[in-house]
Amino acid sequence: GTAQAPRAPVWFCVAAMKTLIKNATVILPAGRADVSVVIEDDHIADIDAAIQLPVDRVVDASGLYLIPGLIDDQVHFREPGLTHKEDLAHASRACAKGGVTTFLEMPNTKPNTVSVESLASKLELASSRSLVNFGFYIGATPGNIEELKAAERTPGIKIFIGSSTGDLLVDDQDALERIFDETTLPITAHCEDEATVRANQERYAGTTDVRDHSRIRDHEAAIVCTRRALDLAFRHNHRFHVLHVSTGAETDLFADHRGLITAEACPHHLFFHVGDYDRLGSLVQMNPSIKDVEDNRQIWQALLDGRIQVIATDHAPHTLEEKQLPYPQSPSGLPAVENVLALMLDQVHQEQCSLEQVVQWMCEAPARVWDVVGKGRIAVGYDADLVLVDLQREQEVRNEQQETKCGWSPWHGERLTGWAVQTWVMGHEVYRDGQFDLSQSGQEAVFDHSRGGYWKTADH
C-alpha cells in the first residue's frame, strides 16, 4: 500500500457544486443512453439529452461510460483490531479507485461486531475514516439473540455456520433455529459444514500441501451447509443471502428461491480453480476454497441466467508475509476490492457479458438485496454515487500500485481492458486517474427493510 496518504489535487471540485457530466454513454435502468447527468449537492438532479442550464463545472466524458457506484456487500476491512493487514483509510481508497462507492463490512473484527453498541462504535469510526459510503453487519453468536433483535442501523445479520472460531461460530441447530425464527433482519451466512471440514482435516492431518485446502474444504462441505441454511430459511420464511458460492452444485439449489433466497459469486470463484495452486500457492487459499474449472463455468452460468444475483469481493487481506507462511499456517483470504470492476469490464471486453449485466450484478442487485436507500442506479433523486469507466483502457495489475494496505494482488501481472477513471461519492469527486480528494468522508448507508428485498423490490 501507499506509505502516506496522497495529497488532494487542486482540480477537485468543492462541496455543494452543481456538476454537469456530458457526452458519456449512461447506463440507466432502462438501458444505455447518450444523455447528460446533473449532480447537485449529494444527489442526481437531472438526466436529459440536451440540458441547458447554468452549472459550476462541466465534465466532458466523451468516449466514456457512466455507471452507478458499485456496492460491495461482502468485505473484511480489518478495523478495529487487525489494522496491520488493512484499515478503513486504505481500503476505502481502494474502493474509490476501483469504482466501489459503498461497502458492507463483516463482523469478524476485534472486537467482533455482535452488539448494538459495537455496531454503533464501528459506524462512528467509519464516519471520519472512510472515503466512501459504509454499512456494517451485526454478527450472530449462540447467545446474542436480543442484540440481533434490537439492531437497526445494519444491512442484516451475518452467521458463520462453520469456518470461524470463538463466539462467531454458530453450528448448534437450536441456536440457528432461534435466530431464523425470532429475528426480522435479513440473514446471510458463510456456508461450510463444520463436521465435514473437521473430518477432512483428520484425513489430511499433517499435510503441508496447500492444494489439500480444497480437499479439506471440499464440495460436500459447501453443499451440505447451504442445503441446511436454505431449509432454515424456508421453514421460518426468512430472507437469506448465500455468500461466496463456490460450487456448481449449489447453484442448482437457487432455482427454487421462493421469494426468499438470493446468492452471490466472488471473483476468486469465477476466475481461479485448483490448477492455480501450482502457480499462486497460498495466495489463492480461500474459505470456501477454490474448486474446479467446471465449478467456475457453472457459477458463471448461474449469474447469466439469474440464479445468482450479486457479485461481491469477499475482500479479506492478509500481509504477504502471512500469506507466504507454509500451509496450513497460511491464512485464507485475498484482496480484491480495487480490481473487481476491472476484472468484470475485461469480461465485457471479451464479450462474456454486457456492461448492463455488470451494473445489474454489482450495483442494482446488492441495493435491492439489502434494501439500500437511494443507491444502485442512475435516476433522478438517487444519491450521486457515480463512476466513469473507460472500456478501452488497457492496464496491468501491479502489486506496487495497490491502495490496499496489504500491498499485493493475486492478479498481479495480468493485463485487463476496462478501468474506472473517475468516481463520485455523494456528489463529491473523490478519485480521478490515480489521484484522491481526501477532504471528504463517505456517509452511513441507510437501509429500509420494509421494502422486502430483491424479489419484492423490482423498482425501488
Side-chain angles (χ1 to χ4, degrees):
T2 51
Q4 294 182 337
R7 298 172 114 184
V10 296
W11 41 257
F12 281 108
C13 58
V14 298
M17 292 182 71
K18 186 179 288 188
T19 300
L20 171 67
I21 304 172
K22 68 175 187 178
N23 297 331
T25 300
V26 183
I27 306 301
L28 301 170
R32 63 183 66 190
D34 295 324
V35 293
S36 294
V37 174
V38 176
I39 300 171
E40 186 171 0
D41 296 330
D42 60 0
H43 64 280
I44 299 168
D46 206 352
I47 300 171
D48 195 283
I51 294 175
Q52 299 292 330
L53 60 117
V55 294
D56 299 293
R57 183 178 178 223
V58 176
V59 176
D60 187 347
S62 298
L64 304 177
Y65 288 76
L66 187 67
I67 67 172
L70 274 58
I71 301 170
D72 191 341
D73 79 356
Q74 187 187 181
V75 301
H76 302 266
F77 283 174
R78 308 301 194 197
E79 189 171 359
L82 296 164
T83 52
H84 70 285
K85 303 173 188 278
E86 183 69 285
D87 58 33
L88 289 167
H90 285 84
S92 63
R93 288 206 301 271
C95 285
K97 179 182 176 183
V100 175
T101 55
T102 302
F103 66 81
L104 307 181
E105 208 244 9
M106 291 298 166
N108 54 332
T109 46
K110 291 186 178 181
N112 298 150
T113 314
V114 294
S115 66
V116 172
E117 181 181 5
S118 59
L119 176 63
S121 176
K122 233 179 184 181
L123 288 164
E124 178 64 25
L125 192 67
S127 68
S128 62
R129 300 190 185 186
S130 179
L131 187 60
V132 301
N133 306 314
F134 50 87
F136 299 97
Y137 297 90
I138 186 167
T141 75
N144 74 335
I145 190 78
E146 296 304 319
E147 296 288 344
L148 302 181
K149 289 159 70 172
E152 293 180 340
R153 297 161 64 190
T154 179
I157 296 166
K158 167 66 180 292
I159 310 176
F160 289 85
I161 310 177
S163 297
S164 187
T165 56
D167 289 343
L168 281 177
L169 173 60
V170 186
D171 192 44
D172 176 73
Q173 188 67 24
D174 289 341
L176 289 169
E177 296 282 356
R178 284 197 67 195
I179 293 167
F180 274 84
D181 182 50
E182 298 181 28
T183 66
T184 58
L185 287 169
I187 293 175
T188 190
H190 181 120
C191 292
E192 284 185 293
D193 183 62
E194 191 71 9
T196 302
V197 171
R198 287 177 180 171
N200 289 336
Q201 284 173 331
E202 291 183 11
R203 188 174 298 119
Y204 291 95
T207 183
T208 58
D209 185 350
V210 70
R211 290 172 293 190
D212 287 334
H213 190 72
S214 291
R215 300 179 182 113
I216 293 169
R217 297 182 177 276
D218 61 6
H219 289 73
E220 182 182 4
I223 297 162
V224 166
C225 193
T226 297
R227 282 202 184 105
R228 181 187 186 188
L230 296 187
D231 173 68
L232 284 159
F234 290 147
R235 286 192 291 103
H236 294 287
N237 194 37
H238 204 125
R239 284 168 54 188
F240 181 71
H241 183 68
V242 184
L243 296 171
H244 42 45
V245 175
S246 65
T247 74
E250 286 170 279
T251 68
D252 293 333
L253 304 175
F254 308 144
D256 179 20
H257 59 77
R258 305 186 201 179
L260 296 170
I261 306 303
T262 51
E264 76 183 30
C266 295
H268 40 276
H269 295 128
L270 290 169
F271 299 115
F272 294 133
H273 54 81
V274 291
D276 289 310
Y277 283 127
D278 292 337
R279 181 171 59 93
L280 294 167
S282 57
L283 295 186
V284 288
Q285 178 188 328
M286 289 295 305
N287 299 339
S289 66
I290 57 175
K291 303 298 195 297
D292 302 320
V293 172
E294 179 60 17
D295 293 293
N296 297 150
R297 188 196 67 78
Q298 291 181 44
I299 293 169
W300 261 108
Q301 184 56 49
L303 270 170
L304 293 169
D305 65 29
R307 284 173 291 152
I308 293 177
Q309 295 78 30
V310 173
I311 292 176
T313 64
D314 193 12
H315 177 90
H318 303 278
T319 68
L320 196 55
E321 292 75 18
E322 290 169 332
K323 286 294 283 184
Q324 291 175 336
L325 290 170
Y327 184 79
Q329 298 175 50
S330 50
S332 295
L334 56 80
V337 75
E338 70 190 276
N339 297 311
V340 65
L341 178 57
L343 287 164
M344 295 309 302
L345 295 180
D346 192 67
Q347 294 299 300
V348 174
H349 178 71
Q350 296 180 40
E351 300 183 348
Q352 299 301 307
C353 59
S354 69
L355 182 57
E356 286 83 355
Q357 286 173 309
V358 171
V359 168
Q360 170 65 25
W361 296 329
M362 305 183 79
C363 309
E364 183 161 354
R368 287 170 56 186
V369 168
W370 299 110
D371 308 309
V372 189
V373 176
K375 300 190 186 299
R377 54 172 58 185
I378 297 176
V380 173
Y382 271 61
D383 294 340
D385 297 336
L386 300 166
V387 183
L388 274 175
V389 299
D390 185 346
L391 294 185
Q392 302 306 314
R393 176 175 290 193
E394 184 178 333
Q395 191 170 304
E396 188 173 303
V397 179
R398 302 296 303 174
N399 285 346
E400 61 272 18
Q401 295 173 355
Q402 301 301 292
E403 289 297 323
T404 175
K405 192 173 184 179
C406 71
W408 64 275
S409 169
W411 290 280
H412 172 74
E414 292 197 25
R415 295 197 69 82
L416 304 174
T417 301
W419 290 83
V421 296
Q422 204 162 344
T423 303
W424 288 264
V425 174
M426 298 299 289
H428 300 288
E429 186 184 13
V430 297
Y431 173 80
R432 190 202 301 181
D433 276 333
Q435 303 284 341
F436 297 88
D437 180 3
L438 304 179
S439 65
Q440 304 294 329
S441 296
Q443 295 186 17
E444 178 182 342
V446 176
F447 309 97
D448 178 6
H449 293 306
S450 68
R451 293 177 171 187
Y454 184 88
W455 300 110
K456 294 184 180 179
T457 320
D459 184 358
H460 65 114

